[in-house]
Amino acid sequence: MLMQLRMALYVFQEAFRSLRRNGWLNFAAAGTTAVSLFVLGIAVLLVVNTNYISKTVESNVEIMAYLDRGLDQNDLKAIRTQIEATPGVKEVRFISKEEALATLAKRFGKESKLKESLGGTNPLPDAFRIRMSEPRQVASAAASINRLPGVEKVRYGQGVVEKMFKLTAWIRLISMVVMGLLGVCSVFLIATTIRLTMFARRREISIMKWVGATDWFVRWPFLLEGMILGAAGALVAVAVLGFSYSALTGKLQEVLAFLPVVRDYRVLIHLFEGLFTAGIGLGLVGSFISVHRYLRV
Amino acid sequence: MLMQLRMALYVFQEAFRSLRRNGWLNFAAAGTTAVSLFVLGIAVLLVVNTNYISKTVESNVEIMAYLDRGLDQNDLKAIRTQIEATPGVKEVRFISKEEALATLAKRFGKESKLKESLGGTNPLPDAFRIRMSEPRQVASAAASINRLPGVEKVRYGQGVVEKMFKLTAWIRLISMVVMGLLGVCSVFLIATTIRLTMFARRREISIMKWVGATDWFVRWPFLLEGMILGAAGALVAVAVLGFSYSALTGKLQEVLAFLPVVRDYRVLIHLFEGLFTAGIGLGLVGSFISVHRYLRV
Amino acid sequence: MIQFFNVSKFYPNGVKALVGATLHIEKGEFVFLVGPSGAGKSTLIKLIFREELPTKGQIYVGGRSIIRMKRRDVPHLRRQIGMVFQDFRLLPDRTVFENVAFAMQVVGAGPQEIKRRVPEVLELVGLKERAQMYPRQLSGGEQQRVAIARALVNKPTLLIADEPTGNLDMDTSWEIINYFQEINRRGTTVLIATHAREIVDTLRQRVIALDRGRVVRDEHQGVYAHAT
Amino acid sequence: MIQFFNVSKFYPNGVKALVGATLHIEKGEFVFLVGPSGAGKSTLIKLIFREELPTKGQIYVGGRSIIRMKRRDVPHLRRQIGMVFQDFRLLPDRTVFENVAFAMQVVGAGPQEIKRRVPEVLELVGLKERAQMYPRQLSGGEQQRVAIARALVNKPTLLIADEPTGNLDMDTSWEIINYFQEINRRGTTVLIATHAREIVDTLRQRVIALDRGRVVRDEHQGVYAHAT
Ligand SMILES: Nc1ncnc2c1ncn2[C@@H]1O[C@H](COP(=O)(O)OP(=O)(O)OP(=O)(O)O)[C@@H](O)[C@H]1O
Ligand SMILES: Nc1ncnc2c1ncn2[C@@H]1O[C@H](COP(=O)(O)OP(=O)(O)OP(=O)(O)O)[C@@H](O)[C@H]1O
Ligand SMILES: [Mg+2]
Ligand SMILES: [Mg+2]
């Protein structure tokens, strides 16, 4: 018990002593960790946001179901119920032919006198406008709605929607790949730097072994040191990232209110937690592996 | 002359000797350079492409100029000439009211019998569709076209176009900022790694000075070594980047033919040249500065 | 305490540093290891210390085989041995005090014990006022004495010193050697590799002489060299 | 050759390594520098070599002031001096041959010259067969002899050796010292800091004794120490 306590005390003392005395090495390690995690954080934020934007864009896809003429209220109600029962449908809105004509007339401008020239007749059909909760099911939903009695025709921007899905899928893929690459790069950089700092201290490590220290006795302070440096780097990265992201998106939403950006603090805190953990973990694993190479004497 | 030659020979021998013998240090330095330039390259490619896409999207903006009724061919010609003379206009196309009606009818579907219900009258006006070579001038061009005699009304998606310009401006800004940050990070990482490798060899450097070597005698081989490592790292980065980018965009254009991506090889070669030069330069400057610190004995 | 049975050490580059060495050192002995530069003295010491493994032969230290020893038992072996390295091997980023204290921390000594014992040994080697300096700030002889202090601090059962007086003046050398003799009288086995002829010839202890990797002489009450 | 006028060296941590030293060493002299460990011998040598700058006083080497010397002239000073460092200072990633050759490359010697001269000096210190080994593969004495070979290779006008025989046996030490005497006879000024009483007492050359930073004795045909 006393031994354990003494050991813990020793480990902490040693780690902090070393942090104090190896200023420049520590700066390099913590700096690299900060920079790497910062880059990784940018990548993750890009992914999260492109994902979010893609999703928002996708969920704006709508299906127009044009109806046969001469349906009564009961028919409409029946059709509506059936549409609402279709999987993936979120919201159904009825658009009467009058509403449609008014919208059309507005598009031509007041001067075009569309209504007068039509002479009281309205060539447009009634319709339902359908929003999807699951945009990917738009094609199948449209097909099954089209088969309903009373539905004359269904439109959902065929072609364009498919293209859009492909595009968003690719954007997701590319941003994921970039994120993955940057992740690998971060790990490489941090591992390399820690190995270099250990390399600079390799003689120190072997002297400890020569004086009779066990592997763990040598290792523990280095591990703690690695963790602290990783944490420090991660903290800097998270702080800079958090600050600049909230400033940027704040400004962005002011100027471009329509653009969807992730401002959900739970998501961000999650991300920052992840980065922080990654920093500590990398510091720990990095020093473990690096110190290991120089313990074999 | 003999001395110079001898010196050059010495520098090359030393640099290659050191490259051979300091395997692990060299790998770290070249690896970091490769990773950093790779990340930077990704960032530059993202910027180049978002720029290119923004530009393509912007240049699709068009102005519809709706005309007064009852203009004859001469009037039309005069208006067209004036429109074409407006600064920033690239292309002008005449859209007759018949064409407009046909398009409209097609949108309602064959069954809607729009033309019949209109009873031969056509409420739509003639129009010019105008493409801009300089999309940013769309607002001013629209205003001056609107003032032309015979033009009833001008539409160009007011509001949406402004929003879009804002959006693309922001995307550009953000991607530039990200690129700038990654650039700074790359420089930091490469500089740190070179400093660490020099740190590991600091005793060697001072011993050389103690034996009577001049600063330049010590420095030259290190500089050459730094350049070679920088070049090696850059080469790896450029190769990986070039290969994966062309594979990716090739695939992308197959699947999403409508998406504009930069495939202009002159642009890419330019970028790769830049990265390569940056690698060599960073290696050179990095070793110059780092070796300098340990020369003062 | 130490047994070598027909031990050879060939380095990977072909140098035969030790060839068929057989020797026994009993507990409580005081032994000088002599021989010209490159004879294999440090190699022999490195083998005892398990810094190198022999190419051939068997080595026992304190009754345990060095060759069959598991990696995790090596620290325990080393803690029994107080070792003065020829190249000192001080920790560069620790003060004199911390360097000596480290050897105590390694065996699990408590802070009180360390605070008491370290100044004691530093006093002994005459470095009490240098306690807060770093190795690079010390003279060659001072560094050597720190290495000696570190070897003594845990009161080892076996003390090995590789050229412990190479950077010391005669007076200081004698002080150190006298102290080695004293701890030897208290039961510690002492093995000293040295070129200090005057000391070896005066003390007349057991002398093992190496030459080109071979044990060429092993005599009690020996001298540095026979007249040739 | 070397003039010290009232030179003092206080290290930043307050240690007074050298106090008011005044001494003159003429061209062609052979001088021993003696004194107990920590007396200031290495400090004095470091000042000549401009590894350290004095706190007070004036130093001339070869007629030029060390203090007023520009940074870019320091290499030229050092090239005139063949220096054997107490801690050897060999380049760890170069072989014995390359370490010695480096000192020649520094002064701009050609490859032919190097190929001829380096084996010559390695022969002299008895390390010809060790030419392709790295410092970490050498025994303590062998490393010291590489340092000596490097100091000799350029036939310097001033040879300074800091404890050059600390890791050498008597026979090898004498060989080295004899060679130092020989090059001294050919005109090279020699300054040796040493604890090797036997050698100093036998040669009876000029002896400068330091104690706690002060020059306490400076006599021609001196000995290591007077009976106290
Ligand atoms: N790691 C190594 N690799 C190759 N050869 C080595 C190695 N270590 C020592 N040697 C060689 O083994 C021989 C014996 O070396 P050792 O260090 O045992 O000599 P020593 O008796 O201690 O000499 P000294 O008195 O000079 O210290 C030397 O010739 C040396 O060159
Ligand atoms: N860089 C330094 N910083 C502080 N003090 C130092 C430094 N170098 C040497 N000293 C101190 O100066 C004093 C003289 O040191 P110096 O190396 O000149 O002694 P020396 O005569 O060469 O001794 P030795 O025979 O043991 O090598 C010593 O007490 C030492 O602790
Ligand atoms: Mg030895
Ligand atoms: Mg000294």
Side-chain angles (χ1 to χ4, degrees):
Chain A
M1 191 47 221
L2 185 66
M3 277 298 275
Q4 262 77 349
L5 214 81
R6 207 176 261 171
M7 182 71 191
L9 188 73
Y10 163 80
V11 167
F12 273 87
Q13 276 178 346
E14 281 300 293
F16 283 102
R17 200 192 52 75
S18 168
L19 285 171
R20 248 192 351 268
R21 298 221 183 132
N22 295 293
W24 144 241
L25 286 180
N26 294 334
F27 177 75
T32 304
T33 309
V35 165
S36 300
L37 292 180
F38 181 62
V39 170
L40 188 63
I42 290 178
V44 174
L45 282 176
L46 284 179
V47 169
V48 169
N49 273 296
T50 51
N51 247 337
Y52 186 63
I53 294 174
S54 308
K55 205 156 212 157
T56 314
V57 170
E58 283 177 356
S59 66
N60 277 331
V61 169
E62 46 187 39
I63 303 173
M64 290 298 292
Y66 297 102
L67 305 178
D68 290 336
R69 266 143 229 279
L71 300 173
D72 62 19
Q73 286 298 38
N74 283 341
D75 295 336
L76 290 180
K77 214 166 199 168
I79 294 173
R80 183 186 204 116
T81 318
Q82 281 171 295
I83 292 178
E84 278 170 346
T86 309
V89 167
K90 187 169 78 182
E91 187 191 305
V92 181
R93 198 167 97 73
F94 179 68
I95 294 170
S96 66
K97 54 188 177 192
E98 290 77 27
E99 196 181 337
L101 188 65
T103 312
L104 189 64
K106 228 160 76 195
R107 279 200 56 210
F108 287 131
K110 281 180 228 107
E111 295 82 357
S112 68
K113 295 169 186 101
L114 180 66
K115 277 185 203 166
E116 283 110 85
S117 66
L118 286 171
T121 64
N122 184 345
L124 304 175
D126 286 333
F128 280 114
R129 185 163 68 207
I130 300 143
R131 284 256 159 87
M132 302 296 293
S133 64
E134 203 27 273
R136 312 226 146 241
Q137 297 181 353
V138 75
S140 66
S144 71
I145 291 169
N146 205 7
R147 280 193 301 274
L148 296 178
V151 174
E152 196 209 332
K153 199 172 58 165
V154 160
R155 305 223 134 218
Y156 64 93
Q158 286 92 334
V160 174
V161 170
E162 270 82 13
K163 266 189 195 167
M164 202 186 63
F165 283 158
K166 261 193 199 157
L167 180 64
T168 53
W170 271 92
I171 290 179
R172 274 193 193 120
L173 182 71
I174 293 175
S175 52
M176 296 295 253
V177 168
V178 169
M179 185 179 82
L181 283 175
L182 292 185
V184 173
C185 290
S186 302
V187 173
F188 171 83
L189 290 174
I190 296 172
T192 304
T193 311
I194 294 181
R195 254 186 90 181
L196 274 176
T197 61
M198 289 293 166
F199 181 76
R201 301 173 71 182
R202 63 197 179 285
R203 190 162 164 80
E204 205 184 324
I205 295 169
S206 24
I207 290 175
M208 289 180 178
K209 284 300 302 283
W210 283 322
V211 176
T214 57
D215 286 358
W216 279 108
F217 194 82
V218 179
R219 202 146 36 191
W220 265 120
F222 281 108
L223 296 190
L224 186 62
E225 200 185 336
M227 269 170 65
I228 293 171
L229 289 175
L235 220 57
V236 171
V238 165
V240 173
L241 205 62
F243 180 76
S244 43
Y245 185 74
S246 70
L248 187 75
T249 53
K251 186 92 189 92
L252 205 65
Q253 284 220 309
E254 238 170 62
V255 186
L256 298 173
F258 63 92
L259 188 75
V261 287
V262 176
R263 302 218 70 190
D264 181 346
Y265 280 96
R266 269 163 315 163
V267 174
L268 298 182
I269 284 174
H270 221 78
L271 161 62
F272 294 155
E273 276 174 5
L275 285 183
F276 192 68
T277 317
I280 295 180
L282 281 171
L284 188 68
V285 175
S287 27
F288 186 86
I289 295 171
S290 313
V291 79
H292 189 73
R293 329 198 83 228
Y294 304 112
L295 280 174
R296 304 208 142 261
V297 289
Chain B
M1 191 47 221
L2 185 65
M3 277 297 275
Q4 262 78 350
L5 215 80
R6 207 176 262 172
M7 181 71 190
L9 188 73
Y10 162 79
V11 168
F12 272 88
Q13 278 178 345
E14 281 299 294
F16 282 103
R17 198 192 53 76
S18 168
L19 284 172
R20 248 192 351 268
R21 298 222 182 132
N22 296 293
W24 144 241
L25 286 181
N26 294 333
F27 177 75
T32 304
T33 310
V35 164
S36 299
L37 292 179
F38 181 64
V39 170
L40 188 62
I42 291 179
V44 174
L45 282 176
L46 284 180
V47 169
V48 169
N49 274 296
T50 50
N51 248 337
Y52 186 64
I53 293 174
S54 308
K55 206 157 212 156
T56 314
V57 170
E58 283 177 356
S59 67
N60 276 332
V61 169
E62 46 187 39
I63 304 174
M64 290 298 293
Y66 297 100
L67 305 179
D68 290 335
R69 266 141 227 280
L71 299 174
D72 63 21
Q73 285 299 38
N74 284 341
D75 294 335
L76 289 180
K77 214 166 199 168
I79 294 172
R80 184 185 202 116
T81 319
Q82 282 170 295
I83 291 176
E84 277 169 348
T86 309
V89 168
K90 187 170 80 184
E91 188 191 304
V92 181
R93 199 168 96 71
F94 179 68
I95 294 170
S96 66
K97 55 187 175 194
E98 289 76 29
E99 197 180 336
L101 189 64
T103 311
L104 189 64
K106 226 160 78 194
R107 278 198 57 210
F108 287 128
K110 283 180 228 107
E111 295 83 356
S112 70
K113 293 167 189 107
L114 180 66
K115 276 185 204 166
E116 283 111 84
S117 66
L118 286 171
T121 64
N122 184 345
L124 303 176
D126 287 331
F128 280 115
R129 184 163 67 205
I130 301 143
R131 283 258 158 88
M132 303 296 292
S133 65
E134 204 27 273
R136 311 223 148 241
Q137 297 180 353
V138 75
S140 67
S144 72
I145 291 168
N146 204 8
R147 280 194 300 274
L148 295 178
V151 173
E152 195 210 332
K153 198 173 58 165
V154 159
R155 305 222 134 218
Y156 63 92
Q158 286 95 331
V160 174
V161 169
E162 270 83 12
K163 265 188 197 168
M164 201 184 65
F165 283 158
K166 261 193 199 157
L167 180 64
T168 53
W170 270 92
I171 289 179
R172 273 192 193 121
L173 182 72
I174 292 176
S175 52
M176 296 295 252
V177 168
V178 169
M179 185 180 81
L181 283 175
L182 291 184
V184 172
C185 290
S186 302
V187 172
F188 171 82
L189 289 174
I190 295 172
T192 303
T193 310
I194 295 180
R195 255 186 90 182
L196 273 177
T197 62
M198 290 292 167
F199 181 76
R201 299 174 71 183
R202 64 198 179 285
R203 190 164 165 79
E204 205 182 325
I205 295 169
S206 25
I207 290 175
M208 290 180 177
K209 284 300 302 288
W210 284 323
V211 178
T214 58
D215 286 358
W216 278 108
F217 194 82
V218 179
R219 199 144 42 190
W220 265 120
F222 281 109
L223 295 190
L224 186 63
E225 200 185 334
M227 271 169 65
I228 293 172
L229 288 176
L235 220 57
V236 171
V238 165
V240 173
L241 205 61
F243 180 77
S244 43
Y245 185 74
S246 70
L248 186 75
T249 54
K251 187 89 189 94
L252 204 65
Q253 285 220 308
E254 238 171 62
V255 185
L256 300 172
F258 63 92
L259 187 76
V261 286
V262 176
R263 304 217 66 189
D264 181 346
Y265 280 97
R266 271 164 313 164
V267 174
L268 297 182
I269 285 172
H270 222 78
L271 161 63
F272 294 156
E273 276 173 6
L275 285 182
F276 193 67
T277 317
I280 295 179
L282 281 171
L284 188 68
V285 175
S287 27
F288 186 85
I289 295 171
S290 313
V291 79
H292 190 73
R293 330 198 81 228
Y294 305 112
L295 281 174
R296 304 207 142 259
V297 288
Chain C
M1 191 80 206
I2 303 171
Q3 275 124 352
F4 275 56
F5 293 104
N6 200 22
V7 174
S8 296
K9 174 65 187 178
F10 306 152
Y11 284 107
N13 62 350
V15 176
K16 299 185 176 176
L18 210 59
V19 184
T22 298
L23 51 88
H24 302 266
I25 296 175
E26 300 304 321
K27 209 165 157 48
E29 274 196 281
F30 191 107
V31 182
F32 284 116
L33 192 61
V34 302
S37 169
K41 303 181 294 298
S42 297
T43 301
L44 192 146
I45 286 171
K46 284 176 185 167
L47 290 173
I48 298 173
F49 198 60
R50 208 179 186 273
E51 189 182 330
E52 300 279 357
L53 279 173
T55 315
K56 266 187 265 174
Q58 187 58 266
I59 302 174
Y60 291 91
V61 176
R64 302 192 51 190
S65 165
I66 289 284
I67 291 123
R68 286 195 293 266
M69 183 174 282
K70 289 201 200 73
R71 225 180 84 73
R72 64 155 201 276
D73 289 331
V74 174
H76 301 282
L77 167 76
R78 291 183 182 164
R79 289 182 202 172
Q80 290 171 36
I81 305 175
M83 180 79 193
V84 183
F85 298 95
Q86 191 168 13
D87 51 358
F88 315 153
R89 300 195 185 168
L90 303 176
L91 295 164
D93 71 335
R94 282 164 209 252
T95 62
V96 168
F97 185 97
E98 288 168 341
N99 261 286
V100 178
F102 185 77
M104 291 190 74
Q105 290 173 323
V106 156
V107 297
Q112 272 87 35
E113 224 179 319
I114 292 176
K115 268 209 200 83
R116 194 181 48 71
R117 175 74 179 148
V118 175
E120 214 172 280
V121 281
L122 287 182
E123 173 92 77
L124 196 77
V125 296
L127 285 181
K128 215 173 171 184
E129 339 76 74
R130 299 276 180 265
Q132 295 313 316
M133 281 163 72
Y134 290 91
R136 65 172 177 284
Q137 300 176 324
L138 298 179
S139 81
E142 286 164 349
Q143 289 178 36
Q144 193 155 41
R145 282 179 282 158
V146 178
I148 293 169
R150 183 178 61 188
L152 295 175
V153 75
N154 285 330
K155 303 185 175 161
T157 55
L158 171 60
L159 180 84
I160 304 181
D162 197 351
E163 200 73 67
T165 60
N167 288 277
L168 297 179
D169 55 289
M170 263 304 147
D171 295 348
T172 316
S173 297
W174 271 114
E175 275 171 36
I176 299 288
I177 293 290
N178 286 340
Y179 187 72
F180 284 178
Q181 280 202 296
E182 193 188 316
I183 64 165
N184 172 246
R185 258 176 253 122
R186 294 201 206 139
T188 301
T189 315
V190 176
L191 174 62
I192 303 174
T194 188
H195 295 301
R197 180 200 293 246
E198 196 180 321
I199 290 172
V200 177
D201 288 353
T202 310
L203 291 191
R204 297 214 136 241
Q205 296 280 5
R206 179 174 172 191
V207 173
I208 298 173
L210 290 178
D211 195 8
R212 268 161 281 160
R214 288 172 198 282
V215 178
V216 292
R217 188 155 55 89
D218 183 354
E219 48 189 19
H220 291 264
Q221 299 178 19
V223 292
Y224 184 83
H226 290 291
T228 40
Chain D
M1 193 77 206
I2 303 170
Q3 275 123 354
F4 274 56
F5 294 104
N6 199 20
V7 173
S8 295
K9 174 66 187 178
F10 306 152
Y11 285 106
N13 62 349
V15 176
K16 298 185 176 177
L18 210 60
V19 184
T22 299
L23 51 88
H24 302 266
I25 296 175
E26 299 304 323
K27 213 169 152 49
E29 274 196 280
F30 191 107
V31 182
F32 284 117
L33 191 60
V34 303
S37 170
K41 302 181 296 297
S42 296
T43 300
L44 192 146
I45 286 172
K46 283 176 187 168
L47 290 173
I48 298 173
F49 198 59
R50 208 179 185 274
E51 189 182 329
E52 299 279 357
L53 280 172
T55 314
K56 266 186 265 174
Q58 187 58 266
I59 303 174
Y60 291 90
V61 176
R64 303 192 51 190
S65 164
I66 289 285
I67 290 125
R68 287 195 293 268
M69 184 174 282
K70 290 201 200 74
R71 226 181 83 74
R72 64 155 201 276
D73 289 331
V74 174
H76 301 283
L77 166 77
R78 291 182 181 164
R79 288 182 203 170
Q80 289 171 36
I81 305 175
M83 180 79 193
V84 183
F85 297 94
Q86 190 169 11
D87 51 358
F88 315 154
R89 300 194 185 171
L90 303 175
L91 294 164
D93 71 335
R94 282 164 209 253
T95 62
V96 168
F97 186 96
E98 288 168 340
N99 260 286
V100 178
F102 185 77
M104 292 190 74
Q105 291 173 323
V106 156
V107 298
Q112 274 86 35
E113 226 179 318
I114 292 175
K115 269 212 198 79
R116 194 182 48 73
R117 175 73 179 149
V118 175
E120 215 172 279
V121 281
L122 286 181
E123 174 93 76
L124 196 77
V125 297
L127 286 180
K128 216 173 169 183
E129 336 77 73
R130 299 278 180 263
Q132 294 314 316
M133 282 163 72
Y134 289 92
R136 65 173 175 284
Q137 300 175 323
L138 297 179
S139 82
E142 285 164 350
Q143 289 180 35
Q144 192 155 42
R145 283 179 281 160
V146 178
I148 294 169
R150 183 178 62 186
L152 296 174
V153 76
N154 284 329
K155 302 184 177 163
T157 55
L158 171 58
L159 180 83
I160 304 180
D162 196 351
E163 200 74 65
T165 59
N167 288 277
L168 297 179
D169 55 289
M170 265 302 146
D171 295 349
T172 315
S173 297
W174 272 114
E175 276 171 35
I176 299 288
I177 294 288
N178 286 339
Y179 187 72
F180 284 178
Q181 280 202 297
E182 193 187 316
I183 64 167
N184 173 248
R185 257 175 251 123
R186 295 198 205 141
T188 300
T189 313
V190 176
L191 173 62
I192 303 173
T194 188
H195 294 301
R197 179 200 294 246
E198 195 180 323
I199 291 172
V200 177
D201 288 353
T202 311
L203 292 191
R204 298 215 135 238
Q205 297 280 3
R206 180 175 171 192
V207 173
I208 299 174
L210 290 178
D211 195 9
R212 268 161 281 159
R214 290 172 196 281
V215 179
V216 293
R217 188 156 54 91
D218 182 356
E219 48 189 21
H220 291 264
Q221 300 179 18
V223 292
Y224 184 82
H226 290 290
T228 40

